[in-house]
Amino acid sequence: MHFDFQNMNSYQLDVLREVSNIGAGNAATALSKMVKRRVDMGVPTIKLLEFSEVGAILGDEEKIVAGVIVPVAGSMNGVLLLILEYKDTSNLVELLTGKKFSDFEAFDELALSAIRETGNILAGAYMSALAGLTSLSVKCMFPDVSIDMAAAILSIPAIGFGMMADKVLYIDSDFAEGTDNVKAKMFLVLEADSFEILLRALGAIS
Amino acid sequence: MSITIKVGMGEYKLAQKPDVLTTLGLGSCVGICIYDKTTGIIGMAHIMLPTITQARDTVNIGKFADTAIPALIRDMIALGARKAQMTAKIAGGAQMFSFSKESDLMKIGLRNTAMTKDMLKELGIPLLAEECGGSSGRTIELLSEDGSLVIKTAGKEVRIL
């Protein structure tokens, strides 16, 4: 039978949620080690979105956020996108570098590099958990950071994988440092065919 | 009182005097704004990709420059606009991330802009003004009162084309 990620059954959705939970759990542990604090994680949610809905995932489309995009390539193709609002970004940078910044525009190369590296480490932890569970080979590519309007950043993964279908699936994971000083969101967006490869490797497609 | 109508990614919408069409946070997508001066009919498309030709399993023609622009013009004509009076302004096509090697996803803003211009030329709609490229997201508003295109970019002054 032809697999369509826009019409997954409840078992397949459960499997996807569980595998994301393990990936995000590994990323939360990695973040905890980086900031040397406890990091809590919410249960990942699966969002099957119309393209027109993507820009408003965080509410305000024009809110300025920091986004780190990490392309994923190999047996599966996609991107991981880490998103932080200003207060969280600034607290994270301070935890990592000891430097305080008054606003996004004040961030220097060191701050941007700390944000980029956080995305890199979290994405690596997330994908290595997925690779371990599935025995699929996936590689995280070089990360890049952008500070801009939420909708402009959130749209990039959708555009990359918008060719094949009328909807796009974002797997949304939330992280919060123990005292809520740093909250972050991570989205996994895969190419349409990669969902089938992932679910097949996990035995959720017969 | 005018109302402001939001155009989401992959959508195209029309409006009439005195209303406003807007797109919030355009990244590498392109916002195509068409204005018919004599009727005050405006249209905006928020395209994501240049062409439908490599697509499969898709029925959403609003996503692609080569299908959204003709559809937008057709619907404007159905509403009473005249093609000979239409003019266009475009914005967007930024490169939000600068990954060195992921070339295709990278250059999508440029390709979207190029295809948009080709389509407008092919359809004979004069392109009066544009603000494309760069690395910043943009919010745009098309005013039916006079066809002005208002562009907002994070940390910069508002510009009117």
Side-chain angles (χ1 to χ4, degrees):
Chain A
M1 213 190 95
H2 175 64
F3 172 82
D4 178 5
F5 78 94
Q6 298 171 95
N7 287 299
M8 281 186 276
N9 62 38
S10 61
Y11 174 65
Q12 290 167 338
L13 288 169
D14 280 345
V15 168
L16 205 53
R17 205 171 288 120
E18 183 52 26
V19 74
S20 319
N21 199 29
I22 295 168
N26 216 28
T29 306
L31 180 60
S32 173
K33 281 183 188 154
M34 283 183 82
V35 297
K36 301 184 182 68
R37 305 275 178 96
R38 193 182 89 228
V39 169
D40 300 318
M41 191 193 91
V43 178
T45 53
I46 294 179
K47 295 182 156 84
L48 185 61
L49 304 164
E50 300 283 345
F51 290 107
S52 59
E53 299 170 322
V54 167
I57 301 176
L58 301 177
D60 179 3
E61 290 102 327
E62 295 180 282
K63 184 191 293 176
I64 305 299
V65 298
V68 185
I69 198 160
V70 185
V72 172
S75 303
M76 292 186 285
N77 295 299
V79 295
L80 277 158
L81 181 63
L82 179 72
I83 301 269
L84 297 113
E85 295 188 19
Y86 168 68
K87 179 180 73 67
D88 304 299
T89 317
S90 133
N91 289 338
L92 173 72
V93 169
E94 193 182 342
L95 279 171
L96 294 174
T97 68
K99 282 173 77 175
K100 276 182 195 253
F101 295 91
S102 55
D103 61 63
F104 271 138
E105 295 194 1
F107 282 155
D108 58 11
E109 197 39 56
L110 177 70
L112 291 176
S113 149
I115 301 163
R116 192 184 293 117
E117 190 53 18
T118 305
N120 194 26
I121 287 171
L122 267 62
Y126 196 119
M127 287 321 287
S128 73
L130 253 60
L133 284 167
T134 56
S135 308
L136 292 170
S137 104
V138 278
K139 199 173 148 205
C140 288
M141 315 299 272
F142 194 72
D144 196 19
V145 63
S146 172
I147 293 175
D148 213 301
M149 297 182 196
I153 290 178
L154 287 164
S155 67
I156 301 302
I159 292 161
F161 308 109
M163 190 61 99
M164 299 307 179
D166 280 334
K167 289 187 178 169
V168 61
L169 197 149
Y170 279 55
I171 302 175
D172 178 353
S173 308
D174 287 306
F175 305 99
E177 181 267 336
T179 49
D180 271 1
N181 275 326
V182 180
K183 282 185 274 182
K185 257 186 184 303
M186 197 159 202
F187 295 101
L188 172 63
V189 186
L190 295 175
E191 211 171 67
D193 293 343
S194 295
F195 284 108
E196 182 170 359
I197 290 162
L198 177 61
L199 287 172
R200 217 173 268 287
L202 293 162
I205 300 177
S206 51
Chain B
M1 266 293 282
S2 71
I3 57 164
T4 298
I5 301 162
K6 219 190 259 189
V7 183
M9 181 162 58
E11 292 183 327
Y12 64 90
K13 289 186 182 167
L14 314 185
Q16 274 176 291
K17 234 177 224 179
D19 296 340
V20 174
L21 289 169
T22 188
T23 276
L24 307 175
L26 265 178
S28 60
C29 295
V30 174
I32 297 127
C33 305
I34 300 187
Y35 172 59
D36 173 353
K37 189 177 178 179
T38 48
T39 60
I41 294 172
I42 52 172
M44 183 185 284
H46 179 168
I47 63 101
M48 303 162 56
L49 292 160
T51 171
I52 200 165
T53 52
Q54 288 143 25
R56 65 169 205 226
D57 297 341
T58 183
V59 291
N60 181 0
I61 57 169
K63 289 196 302 196
F64 306 96
D66 63 348
T67 47
I69 301 172
L72 178 66
I73 289 166
R74 183 197 62 210
D75 288 6
M76 286 177 73
I77 293 170
L79 197 64
R82 283 178 47 199
K83 197 175 161 196
Q85 294 158 350
M86 291 181 191
T87 53
K89 293 177 183 177
I90 63 172
Q95 183 174 316
M96 300 303 300
F97 292 95
S98 60
F99 339 67
S100 43
K101 292 184 187 106
E102 269 57 47
S103 55
D104 264 15
L105 184 50
M106 264 303 329
K107 290 179 193 138
I108 200 78
L110 284 173
R111 288 166 49 215
N112 281 336
T113 308
M115 180 58 94
T116 294
K117 289 183 182 173
D118 285 353
M119 286 309 298
L120 289 170
K121 200 168 183 184
E122 196 180 314
L123 293 161
I125 312 290
L127 177 60
L128 297 190
E130 62 170 300
E131 190 191 284
C132 296
S135 59
S136 299
R138 300 171 171 94
T139 281
I140 61 170
E141 279 175 19
L142 175 62
L143 314 185
S144 59
E145 286 295 346
D146 60 358
S148 308
L149 178 62
V150 180
I151 305 179
K152 298 171 193 163
T153 309
K156 283 192 205 154
E157 297 215 348
V158 172
R159 289 164 316 289
I160 300 173
L161 298 184

